[in-house]
Every structure is written in structure tokens, then in C-alpha cells.
Amino acid sequence: MIVQISNLQKSFKDVKAVDDISFSVKEGELFAFLGVNGAGKSTTINIISGILNKDSGKVIICGEDIDKNISKIKNSIGIVFQNSVLDKKLSGYKNLKSRAALYGIFGADFKNRLQEISDLLDLKDIIKKPLNKLSGGQKRRIDIARALIHNPKLLILDEPTRGIDVGAKYEIYTIMQSLAAEGKAIIMISSEMPELLGMSDRVMVMSDGHLAGILDKEQADQVEVMRLATAYL
């Protein structure tokens, strides 16, 4: 199991952002994470990735307890943030080279890893271009490449298809399915239900800090997800 969460809780003063939730994500699974703004999705992901400290509960990532080995866990996770964190002054290539260096990936190792990612994400024609010359979908592919450069076991994507056209959305969803087929655990946070419901192995719905339910592919129709999402309103 790549992600194991038990009885996770996090409050901000009097607000329970995450209220006693438990779930798991296995290797090779494409796991959708749905909920309205304020449901607790981002807080949960920020705890998993070590950005926020939890109040209580157990978080195990790739077999490591987050309370005991956060540095190793961070090396096992790649994150694609909702808002791009690419350096706009650099080309995609230089962004990726800089990111790889943080993980000790240099020289031939970087060249080989870059080739693998370029083939997967079809970056050959865009990687050397200035970021301001790229479309929204092309920039998003560079963002994904940045998150994958160190070959993480868990990839987390926060609203990865927001603001890009339908064709680019389809490309990203296809890429995520390919990565899951290779054995990576994928968590996609999104409010774009029709597309995400059709491609995910399981869908977790949060509402008002609570875990409203986890549905498998056969159960996860839009009506049922909406029912769960309003369960705590």
C-alpha cells in the first residue's frame, strides 16, 4: 500500500478542516479526490506531503511513518500544484534541470531521465521554448514533468486540468492512466466530475472536513457523488 491514512485530524482554531478520516491508495491505482472548496481536500494533501503538521492520526507513505521519516517520504512524492510553480524566466528544460539537481540527478542520469519523461509527455518540440511561448496545456505537461523528474512512487495532482482546453485535458488523463499502469499511485484532486469519474479506479468524496464516502468505478456516477458531497451541508 502506498498511502495509509488512519483517523487523521487537523483543526485551525475552532474549525475542523479534517475530521477523523481514514483511507488508503495502493500501487497502480488512480484515486480521485472530490469535494467543494473548504471540504478538506487541500489540507489532507498538505499533510500527506509534509507541508502541514497533523493534529492526530496516522500517516504512512510508502511504508514510512510521516512522524519518523518525513525527508524520505518527500522523496517518494511528486506534486503538481493547481497554480504552476515553474520559473517563468527559464525554459522547460532549465526548469527540469534545476529541479533534478535538488534530487542529485546530474549528467547522464539527468539526460536519461529527461528522455523518458519527454517520451511520455511528448515534450520534444516544447521543452527548449520559453514558457511564455507555450499554451496552458503545454505548461501543464512541463509541470507534470517537474513532479516526475525524481521518479516518485506517488503522484498528487491538484486541479491539473483547470483552465486548459478539452484536448489538453484528454492528454493529461491519458498520461495519468499510463503512469498508473506502470505502478505509480495517482491522486487527482478535481471538481471536474464527468471526466474524472470515468477514468478513476476509486473516488473519495469529502464534505465539511468529513469523509463522505469512497466509491469504486461502478458506483461512482455523478448523482451519487453529488449526494455524498452534500451529506454534511
Side-chain angles (χ1 to χ4, degrees):
M1 201 66 67
I2 299 296
V3 177
Q4 294 174 280
I5 307 294
S6 303
N7 307 114
L8 183 63
Q9 299 200 48
K10 178 66 179 181
S11 296
F12 299 98
K13 295 184 178 180
D14 296 330
V15 177
K16 286 189 175 181
V18 177
D19 191 5
D20 195 28
I21 71 168
S22 300
F23 68 96
S24 62
V25 183
K26 64 184 179 180
E27 182 178 316
E29 183 172 21
L30 212 163
F31 190 85
F33 199 170
L34 299 176
V36 298
N37 290 339
K41 307 186 304 297
S42 294
T43 300
T44 302
I45 294 304
N46 285 340
I47 291 170
I48 291 174
S49 56
I51 296 172
L52 274 178
N53 293 322
K54 59 184 173 60
D55 293 340
S56 62
K58 196 81 168 176
V59 177
I60 306 293
I61 308 295
C62 299
E64 301 289 342
D65 190 322
I66 202 167
D67 292 328
K68 299 176 181 178
N69 206 342
I70 184 60
S71 60
K72 190 170 183 179
I73 286 174
K74 286 183 176 181
N75 286 334
S76 300
I77 299 176
I79 305 176
V80 180
F81 295 96
Q82 181 174 338
N83 297 314
S84 177
V85 292
L86 297 173
D87 188 331
K88 296 179 177 60
K89 298 176 183 177
L90 303 178
S91 65
Y93 174 84
K94 290 183 177 179
N95 267 280
L96 298 181
K97 188 175 183 179
S98 174
R99 184 66 176 174
L102 295 177
Y103 293 94
I105 305 171
F106 302 99
D109 289 339
F110 170 68
K111 184 178 180 181
N112 293 336
R113 183 60 184 150
L114 183 65
Q115 186 62 56
E116 292 172 356
I117 293 175
S118 182
D119 291 344
L120 173 69
L121 300 176
D122 192 20
L123 302 180
K124 182 178 67 173
D125 295 333
I126 66 172
I127 197 166
K128 295 289 183 71
K129 292 182 179 180
L131 290 181
N132 61 7
K133 298 294 184 182
L134 303 182
S135 68
Q138 290 171 334
K139 290 176 184 175
R140 184 57 80 192
R141 278 189 276 149
I142 300 291
D143 274 314
I144 294 171
R146 178 185 180 277
L148 289 173
I149 196 68
H150 59 298
N151 200 19
K153 294 180 179 179
L154 170 63
L155 181 64
I156 299 171
L157 304 99
D158 189 357
E159 298 287 359
T161 61
R162 179 168 290 178
I164 61 177
D165 63 43
V166 174
K169 289 180 182 181
Y170 175 77
E171 289 177 355
I172 289 173
Y173 288 141
T174 301
I175 290 164
M176 293 307 107
Q177 288 176 319
S178 296
L179 288 169
E182 292 175 3
K184 292 193 186 302
I186 313 290
I187 297 178
M188 293 186 70
I189 307 168
S190 182
S191 56
E192 302 198 0
M193 285 189 290
E195 297 100 326
L196 203 55
L197 296 183
M199 62 171 289
S200 303
D201 297 308
R202 288 190 299 153
V203 176
M204 183 169 89
V205 183
M206 283 192 73
S207 182
D208 196 26
H210 298 271
L211 174 57
I214 299 178
L215 309 171
D216 63 27
K217 186 176 289 187
E218 287 70 29
Q219 298 170 311
D221 63 84
Q222 194 164 355
V223 172
E224 179 62 9
V225 169
M226 287 298 293
R227 185 189 71 76
L228 287 175
T230 58
Y232 290 92
L233 297 180

